Amino acid sequence: MAFQNETNKGRVIKMVDSLHLILKSAQANRAEDHEIVAMLRPLTGELAGLGLAADMPAAAPAPATSALTAGERAALHLADRASLRDLIAALMGRLDAHAAQLDDAP
């Protein structure tokens, strides 16, 4: 595939690295969650617009709780109560995994 090339893989890695630097700065400056959200809003807006935020379509309706498995209900429960920093850490893990997957792609 022409899209999955070393140039684009490098760009993804640079984006992940930049996000790490922003979060490191937020921690060093003791930024409040709302400040981090405001800083990342342009990025999360772009990802949501493409349907890429947390691998969920931007306009996907929330599933009814009764239709979820026990594990999905537990994850939803934890996500609803997680701090923004925990959610960002989870997103960072997903981005790192995606970057690693790109590195392994032929």
Side-chain angles (χ1 to χ4, degrees), residues 2 28 38 46 48 64 83 87:
E46 288 292 321
S83 70
L87 293 173

Side-chain angles (χ1 to χ4, degrees), residues 53-100:
D55 291 335
M56 295 295 293
T65 304
S66 61
L68 301 175
T69 66
E72 290 169 333
R73 282 193 305 275
L76 184 61
H77 176 77
L78 291 172
D80 285 344
R81 285 151 184 78
S83 70
L84 177 62
R85 287 190 176 123
D86 290 340
L87 293 173
I88 290 172
L91 176 62
M92 296 292 294
R94 299 282 298 190
L95 288 171
D96 287 342
H98 182 69

